[in-house]
Amino acid sequence: MMDVKDPGYIRIKRELFRHLKVSSDAYKDTYLLRRIRARMRKLGITSYTEYYRRIKADKNELDELLLTVAINVTEFFRDPVVWKTLEKKVLPELVKYKREIHSSSIKIWSAACSTGQEPYSIAMTLYETLGENLGGFRVSILATDIDREALSVAMKGEYPVDVIEKQVPRSMIPKYFTRVSEERYRVSPKVKRLVNFRQFNLFSTTYPKGFDIIFIRNVLIYIKRDAQEEIFAKLYDSLEDHGYLVLGKTETILGNAAKMFKLHDLVARIYRKNLEVKKHGKGFGGG
């Protein structure tokens, strides 16, 4: 791939990583080139060097490129098997464990939540599984993304009618949404109150901690393996010992990180923390 050696491309990449605050070459070149070329086509620019000059001179274009790279396509209840497994297997196991240890809180993290469909799907699934009073649990869902614009859409919680009617099971729409206009539905307050949105960069050195379940779906596929391993090491520390890690359906844990998690459900791509790692004090890098 000749493009990766192009001096203009190398400069664009350096600028991008500086603003994303990523120290290493974290993203795959195939992915970055595709995103950069999409922006260049839109502007009618044919050379990487010319595009580099453009992002140096125009802060708005640099922001556009950052959003293009950070974008995470999302939908409500993406991959139905995940939600079925969460409802029938993971949540009942978690509730049983919580009752045994007399804990009344459930903490979930939706990492790379984009425009909010995933965390809202989690909240609705909790109501469906635990009932109107959430089984007496205090539930908190942290939803993070690097993209401020996506987060502002998520916080508003309004989505086009055709999106809701296509993606959300029909019986759930009147329970969890209000029709606010011809074109839009709004997520109901009881769903919204469970979710706390916050800007967060997955390449940060410090991660929030204490989660029972972490969703990080369809984002790691764009990131290089060594950067993935660092992220997995930090996710390991973010999960409680009994915690679950939910990946996208085409994603697997590779390299050293594979020793840190045990596969819990192959079809739904759900893992558990491997406590043997902790016991033997093995280090796996990470910040």
Side-chain angles (χ1 to χ4, degrees):
M1 200 194 313
M2 288 306 295
D3 289 2
V4 298
K5 294 188 167 61
D6 186 295
Y9 171 64
I10 291 163
R11 286 193 193 105
I12 293 166
K13 213 158 71 155
R14 199 177 301 133
E15 192 67 14
L16 204 52
F17 289 145
R18 201 156 64 80
H19 285 272
L20 285 170
K21 296 182 175 55
V22 180
S23 53
S24 61
D25 218 359
Y27 285 97
K28 295 173 182 171
D29 283 306
T30 47
Y31 172 70
L32 281 181
L33 285 163
R34 210 164 53 241
R35 296 301 195 185
I36 291 165
R37 281 200 295 253
R39 288 302 309 160
M40 286 166 63
R41 268 198 308 276
K42 196 158 191 179
L43 297 166
I45 292 173
T46 52
S47 98
Y48 291 110
T49 301
E50 190 188 338
Y51 185 63
Y52 171 70
R53 288 196 198 107
R54 177 65 180 263
I55 61 172
K56 286 300 279 183
D58 182 355
K59 169 89 172 63
N60 288 339
E61 182 51 36
L62 177 60
D63 286 343
E64 282 299 324
L65 180 60
L66 288 168
L67 293 183
T68 306
V69 168
I71 202 83
N72 178 26
V73 179
T74 186
E75 58 189 57
F76 286 98
F77 300 104
R78 186 176 184 176
D79 304 326
V81 68
V82 173
W83 304 97
K84 189 58 75 191
T85 309
L86 189 67
E87 193 179 334
K88 302 282 185 230
K89 182 177 177 178
V90 172
L91 288 174
E93 287 171 356
L94 182 59
V95 166
K96 182 172 181 286
Y97 172 77
K98 290 280 179 176
R99 296 222 150 91
E100 281 166 8
I101 64 162
H102 306 292
S103 167
S104 60
S105 73
I106 291 175
K107 270 183 81 177
I108 298 173
W109 180 13
S110 168
C113 71
S114 189
T115 44
Q117 287 90 323
E118 181 178 90
Y120 289 138
S121 298
I122 295 167
M124 288 184 268
T125 303
L126 286 165
Y127 277 117
E128 289 291 297
T129 311
L130 303 178
E132 195 60 31
N133 75 336
L134 297 167
F137 287 100
R138 275 193 326 278
V139 170
S140 64
I141 300 165
L142 174 65
T144 64
D145 202 275
I146 194 172
D147 177 351
R148 270 203 186 90
E149 284 183 28
L151 287 172
S152 69
V153 171
M155 284 187 246
K156 203 170 181 196
E158 288 187 9
Y159 301 93
V161 163
D162 58 342
V163 166
I164 300 300
E165 292 180 350
K166 195 167 124 210
Q167 296 173 6
V168 178
R170 188 169 297 169
S171 64
M172 290 168 77
I173 297 173
K175 286 199 244 181
Y176 304 114
F177 293 89
T178 310
R179 185 86 174 245
V180 287
S181 71
E182 281 287 298
E183 293 91 35
R184 301 181 93 66
Y185 277 104
R186 184 184 295 144
V187 177
S188 71
K190 71 175 190 180
V191 169
K192 251 187 178 178
R193 74 178 171 80
L194 301 187
V195 187
N196 173 31
F197 290 99
R198 195 194 314 162
Q199 192 184 28
F200 180 77
N201 185 343
L202 285 170
F203 301 111
S204 294
T205 49
T206 52
Y207 272 37
K209 290 190 165 55
F211 296 100
D212 300 301
I213 308 173
I214 297 176
F215 286 73
I216 181 160
R217 305 175 66 218
N218 310 303
V219 65
L220 295 171
I221 42 175
Y222 305 121
I223 294 170
K224 285 188 177 169
R225 184 159 155 173
D226 52 350
Q228 277 188 30
E229 285 196 27
E230 283 188 29
I231 289 170
F232 280 125
K234 288 180 278 198
L235 291 169
Y236 183 90
D237 290 337
S238 289
L239 272 179
E240 291 292 313
D241 285 352
H242 59 270
Y244 301 83
L245 182 70
V246 187
L247 300 184
K249 69 173 179 184
T250 59
E251 296 173 313
T252 44
I253 305 177
L254 302 168
N256 273 336
K259 298 170 194 157
M260 306 175 81
F261 298 93
K262 290 177 172 171
L263 190 60
H264 190 60
D265 190 286
L266 174 64
V267 184
R269 282 287 191 273
I270 297 173
Y271 293 79
R272 300 284 298 268
K273 232 171 142 158
N274 180 5
L275 298 180
E276 292 299 307
V277 169
K278 223 174 176 185
K279 208 184 291 175
H280 299 306
K282 292 175 184 168
F284 288 95

